[in-house]
Amino acid sequence: MSFRLDRVFMTSKVLLDALIPLVADLSSELNERERYRRLLDAMRALFPCDATALLRLEGETLVPLAIDGLSHDTLGRRFKIGDHPRLKLLLESAAPIRFPADSRLPDPYDGLVQGHTGGLEVHDCMGCVISIGGHPWGVLTLDALSADRFDGIDPASLQAFASLAAATVNVVERIGKLSATGEQERERAEAYRIAADQSRRELIGQSLAHQRLMDEIRLAGPSDMAVLISGETGVGKELVANAIHAASPRAGKPMISLNCAALPELLVESELFGHVRGAFSGALSDRRGKFELAHGGTLFLDEVGELSLAVQAKLLRVLQSGQLQRVGSDQEHKVDVRLIAATNRDLMEEIRLGRYRADFYHRLGMYPLMVPPLRERGHDVLLVSGFFLEENRARLGLSSLRLSADAQAALLAYSWPGNIRELEHLIGRSALKTLAKGAQSAPHPRILTLTADDLGLNESVLSPLVDSIESADSQLPLREAVGAYERRLVADSLARSGNNLALAARELGVDRANLSRLAKRLGLKS
């Protein structure tokens, strides 16, 4: 009797010595992998075995999260419960199970124990379910190569260890959820910040084309229709989207943006719809997509012409039903989102070529809106320049940053293939270069004036243009004279490059897509 009591006392002490560090770990800052490694280290110290494993239940499959004593490739295996009766019994049993050495049930780890090859003639195996909230979360397994290794194990001790394992798992799960929630809130806050930064920029202009655009925005904004914004690169389609959102009843909610051209196709679905943990390599936790982040507000899809046909089909379903499924999940999520999309592609042409779905296009374009290029807005170029001049004045610490008369004329005469974005970059670059050039010969000026020479447009475009206007085209109105010069300039460049758009675009210093559109407009390309 005394011997039995001593043995119980020693067993309890060993168990306590192993459990105390694990309990202390619950309040420590450890990553998931380290927590599970320590859990299995303690398990092997307590219970004599050759291999242990912790597996998480995902649907009808058990996924190894941590192993000790098994071949490394075990972590990549997925054990379907229907194919592994031992694992199925462990999940269904409230108490630990020990399988006899002569059990006819196949062992999932046969041949996987490190340092052992071939079949296992004798095998001691036991395990238990890990439950959280009354539901099976996964299993713990112990394997030995000899048939009598687990004779001295008290099932109650294994059950106690399983309870601590459940607490460890619970901590890991909660930390994961808190981390995911924190990341999602960070994304949401970042979306608010970006939207706030964008809203500080106005749609500036007085031209008839600009006024028509503003009328369209005021009309489309209060509705809940999907808006498709079309226009050349750099015209300010995202600013238009922000203005529509600001004019809508959803203005108090975020506008979440996604550039469809900036992501690999395999990640677009995850970004749009979110994913669940384990959906693909690297999906370490559940993550909401842009649709869920934009719930109650607006989702802006830039470069929507870049979406694949498969993603278009899934987006169409969400737009029609308001229901989405995260990647890797069968669960439906209801979303209330107003969609605004933008593209610089001719989507009707894409439909004709079979690269775009007509039903998706018509769903996107419930309210089509075309943003005019800068060259069609006349003196608006000077108004928009004023905005960028003031931004750069503040950034460079000047009292005034202005344009000379010849600089204004140069801006008005230029065709702006890169539109407002090109103008923004030109003003910023010219101001910085002019300030640096002047600093070499004089102290930091209070007032800086940019000339046509500072802008550099006269070197590549304006001098030949002035010559052209002053010669045979001098009797034409300014716009026709500019068009005539553009046509000659582009035609000559295409001729020199053998009609190679990429080479001609590089020679002219413009974007290839913009040059293609310009050539079509000028009748130089079918």
Side-chain angles (χ1 to χ4, degrees), residues 242-438:
N242 274 285
I244 294 171
H245 173 69
S248 76
R250 299 171 181 264
K253 297 289 186 177
M255 187 180 91
I256 305 296
S257 300
L258 177 65
N259 187 331
C260 301
L263 287 170
E265 185 177 332
L266 294 176
L267 294 181
V268 171
E269 280 190 58
S270 173
E271 284 294 317
L272 285 170
F273 310 127
H275 61 251
V276 297
R277 180 175 179 170
F280 51 84
S281 178
L284 301 180
S285 62
D286 289 1
R287 185 172 184 268
R288 289 185 294 176
K290 301 296 186 184
F291 266 99
E292 289 184 74
L293 289 172
H295 181 69
T298 301
L299 177 61
F300 174 57
L301 298 182
D302 199 6
E303 304 290 356
V304 75
E306 306 300 323
L307 292 173
S308 69
L309 290 169
V311 176
Q312 290 173 40
K314 293 183 179 180
L315 266 172
L316 180 62
R317 178 181 175 274
V318 176
L319 295 179
Q320 290 173 337
S321 67
Q323 301 276 353
L324 63 82
Q325 291 178 344
R326 294 178 182 175
V327 177
S329 171
D330 295 328
Q331 184 179 353
E332 296 276 358
H333 293 268
K334 182 75 175 177
V335 289
D336 171 26
V337 171
R338 197 243 182 113
L339 186 69
I340 300 177
T343 183
N344 58 10
R345 286 178 178 251
D346 182 349
L347 294 187
M348 289 303 294
E349 177 66 10
E350 295 294 302
I351 291 171
R352 190 184 69 79
L353 295 172
R355 295 197 293 250
Y356 220 76
R357 292 178 61 113
D359 51 359
F360 181 57
Y361 167 76
H362 291 300
R363 186 77 190 192
L364 281 181
M366 294 173 69
Y367 197 109
L369 197 156
M370 175 65 72
V371 183
L374 188 55
R375 62 180 169 275
E376 295 180 4
R377 294 176 54 185
H379 279 71
D380 280 358
V381 66
L382 298 182
L383 277 66
V384 179
S385 296
F387 180 88
F388 295 134
L389 287 164
E390 185 60 21
E391 274 196 340
N392 283 277
R393 180 205 63 77
R395 182 161 55 238
L396 297 174
L398 300 168
S399 297
S400 178
L401 179 60
R402 60 188 183 181
L403 296 169
S404 67
D406 65 338
Q408 294 183 40
L411 294 177
L412 288 169
Y414 187 53
S415 62
W416 299 109
N419 292 292
I420 294 173
R421 187 178 299 129
E422 184 182 6
L423 174 61
E424 178 184 7
H425 295 166
L426 175 70
I427 296 291
R429 181 173 63 248
S430 301
L432 184 62
K433 285 186 174 180
T434 305
L435 182 62
K437 185 170 59 178

Side-chain angles (χ1 to χ4, degrees), residues 192-209:
Y192 273 115
R193 185 192 67 76
I194 293 172
D197 288 344
Q198 290 288 342
S199 65
R200 294 192 190 103
R201 290 201 162 183
E202 303 174 47
L203 288 166
I204 298 170
Q206 295 178 349
S207 66
L208 182 60

Side-chain angles (χ1 to χ4, degrees), residues 212-244:
R212 287 172 180 161
L213 174 64
M214 297 305 295
D215 289 343
E216 295 275 22
I217 290 171
R218 283 189 285 269
L219 189 59
S223 78
D224 219 25
M225 288 184 175
V227 179
L228 178 60
I229 305 170
S230 302
E232 297 176 8
T233 298
V235 293
K237 294 186 287 292
E238 187 165 2
L239 284 180
V240 173
N242 274 285
I244 294 171

